[in-house]
Amino acid sequence: MVQITLAALKVLGVFLDDPGKPRYGLELMRLTGMKSGSLYPILARLERFGWLESAREDIDPGVAGRPARRMYRITDDGLQGARIERAALYEHLRPSQGIIPGILRPKEHPA
Amino acid sequence: MKGTAFVLSLIVLPILVALIQKELEGWLLLLPKKVLELACRRVPHNNREILRDEWSAELHEILHGLTERPLSRLFLGLRYSGSLLIAARKVSRELAGTRSDQQAMADETPDDRIAAAFLRRTAADLMTMQISAHVKSSGWRLNRRNLTDLDKVRRRLIRQLEHNRDFTDQELREIVYRFNVFGDENALLIMQAMSILPPHEP
């Protein structure tokens, strides 16, 4: 069972925005505003449970002028799971009908 | 005499200052790399090379691509590598096998485990295995000096293969054929000795 924290959902949210697009760590740090020390444990966990898969970028470092990055891609399981988790979060955050009934208006005081 | 001093202060001094600035910048930018290396040493051996590859590539972008200002680069680089140094143990825990993974591993045959371990290996591990096999078969005595030499050879080979750590199936087959890893009766012992596989109880 994957333990999905808000931070993990934030990372998954980036993948959900464009599921086919591979992402790398620094890009995810920029998009989520997370520090490297927070991001990589999440990526490792999601990869361990098969929600993400990673592969070394297929470039020639000599031509590209930089080392190859490790690119992460969301799997079908991850896509399905992330959508369910995000829906569950929205449901959890939605105002309950029992707490705020109808339209809010100032309390009427007897004259 | 005064003229010479004037020429010196006008031409030589600025050049010297610029050179010292460059030198200091070079040394300062080594700091994040050293901190990253410390972080890498805190993760398990079997994941170290992969993580080092990944983290180094990103640190390279921070130090050479994000900004021109050297102090900003130093700050961003140190923040990146320092944060990883703190979180390295957490990454290790996340990468470590779950109980179910360990159970699944216990159910595998030794051959399955060798094959799986072999496929997970990076060039650095394969090279170390190959050199270890060579050391064992040639009857070298393993002492401090030999180990240092071994480490030097290993580092050189790693540098040569720095940009080719993920092998294709074809390359793996070629390595198996050329290095005869599976044919080496000591392969299992070598892998166990190097913590690639846990000790096998028949």
Side-chain angles (χ1 to χ4, degrees):
Chain A
M1 182 70 185
V2 192
Q3 188 193 358
I4 296 298
T5 58
L6 271 179
L9 212 50
K10 210 172 178 181
V11 175
L12 287 168
V14 175
F15 287 99
L16 285 180
D17 289 344
D18 189 350
K21 190 175 178 185
R23 310 275 189 176
Y24 63 100
L26 201 59
E27 181 187 19
L28 289 167
M29 282 168 60
R30 279 196 217 106
L31 293 170
T32 59
M34 291 167 77
K35 287 182 188 170
S36 53
S38 308
L39 178 72
Y40 286 101
I42 291 171
L43 291 177
R45 192 190 323 148
L46 292 173
E47 194 175 0
R48 181 158 58 97
F49 284 100
W51 283 33
L52 294 181
E53 59 189 10
S54 71
R56 198 166 177 269
E57 194 181 19
D58 188 19
I59 59 158
D60 181 352
V63 175
R66 60 171 175 81
R69 298 166 178 147
R70 183 152 287 273
M71 306 301 289
Y72 292 86
R73 194 186 288 272
I74 194 163
T75 61
D76 289 341
D77 281 354
L79 200 60
Q80 195 181 358
R83 283 180 177 147
I84 291 169
E85 289 291 336
R86 191 156 76 169
L89 179 74
Y90 286 160
E91 182 63 27
H92 184 69
L93 295 176
R94 193 170 60 84
S96 163
Q97 292 294 327
I99 296 172
I100 309 170
I103 301 164
L104 286 174
R105 59 184 163 205
K107 191 177 176 184
E108 289 176 14
H109 294 279
Chain B
M1 187 68 185
K2 278 184 182 176
T4 313
F6 179 72
V7 170
L8 273 177
S9 63
L10 206 67
I11 301 169
V12 180
L13 211 62
I15 293 172
L16 209 61
V17 169
L19 285 175
I20 291 170
Q21 274 177 345
K22 278 275 176 199
E23 184 76 14
L24 278 177
E25 189 186 324
W27 280 105
L28 281 177
L29 291 183
L30 272 180
L31 266 177
K33 291 177 186 170
K34 293 286 177 195
V35 175
L36 190 72
E37 187 53 39
L38 284 178
C40 290
R41 284 184 195 173
R42 298 181 79 180
V43 297
H45 175 77
N46 56 343
N47 288 306
R48 194 174 296 164
E49 290 299 328
I50 293 173
L51 288 175
R52 183 183 283 137
D53 253 5
E54 177 177 9
W55 294 346
S56 301
E58 308 212 330
L59 185 63
H60 181 273
E61 184 171 336
I62 292 170
L63 295 181
H64 298 97
L66 288 188
T67 172
E68 285 295 310
R69 294 184 292 272
L71 279 181
S72 300
R73 277 186 284 166
L74 176 66
F75 170 73
L76 292 172
L78 278 178
R79 194 173 65 169
Y80 177 82
S81 49
S83 185
L84 284 175
L85 180 64
I86 294 166
R89 293 211 187 280
K90 199 172 175 188
V91 176
S92 307
R93 279 199 301 274
E94 293 293 355
L95 289 170
T98 56
R99 283 183 180 184
S100 57
D101 290 343
Q102 286 165 1
Q103 185 56 48
M105 194 174 172
D107 293 339
E108 288 174 345
T109 64
D111 283 346
D112 290 340
R113 283 153 60 196
I114 291 176
F118 190 79
L119 287 171
R120 282 199 303 271
R121 291 309 94 211
T122 62
D125 294 321
L126 292 169
M127 283 300 148
T128 311
M129 281 163 55
Q130 163 61 11
I131 295 167
S132 303
H134 177 70
V135 168
K136 272 178 183 274
S137 61
S138 62
W140 285 4
R141 279 184 61 199
L142 274 180
N143 54 30
R144 187 180 290 273
R145 189 178 163 191
N146 276 348
L147 282 173
T148 311
D149 290 345
L150 195 65
D151 197 43
K152 277 183 192 165
V153 176
R154 182 174 175 270
R155 279 169 194 273
R156 184 166 55 80
L157 290 166
I158 289 170
R159 273 203 301 275
Q160 283 174 356
L161 289 161
E162 201 163 33
H163 302 304
N164 186 24
R165 279 185 181 147
D166 288 338
F167 291 98
T168 63
D169 288 348
Q170 176 62 36
E171 285 168 329
L172 277 170
R173 273 195 291 276
E174 193 183 334
I175 289 166
V176 172
Y177 173 75
R178 282 182 58 196
F179 293 167
N180 196 22
V181 171
F182 285 116
D184 186 338
E185 59 182 14
N186 290 322
L188 185 62
L189 290 174
I190 293 165
M191 285 175 148
Q192 286 169 351
M194 296 177 66
S195 307
I196 292 168
L197 287 176
H200 173 60
E201 290 171 10

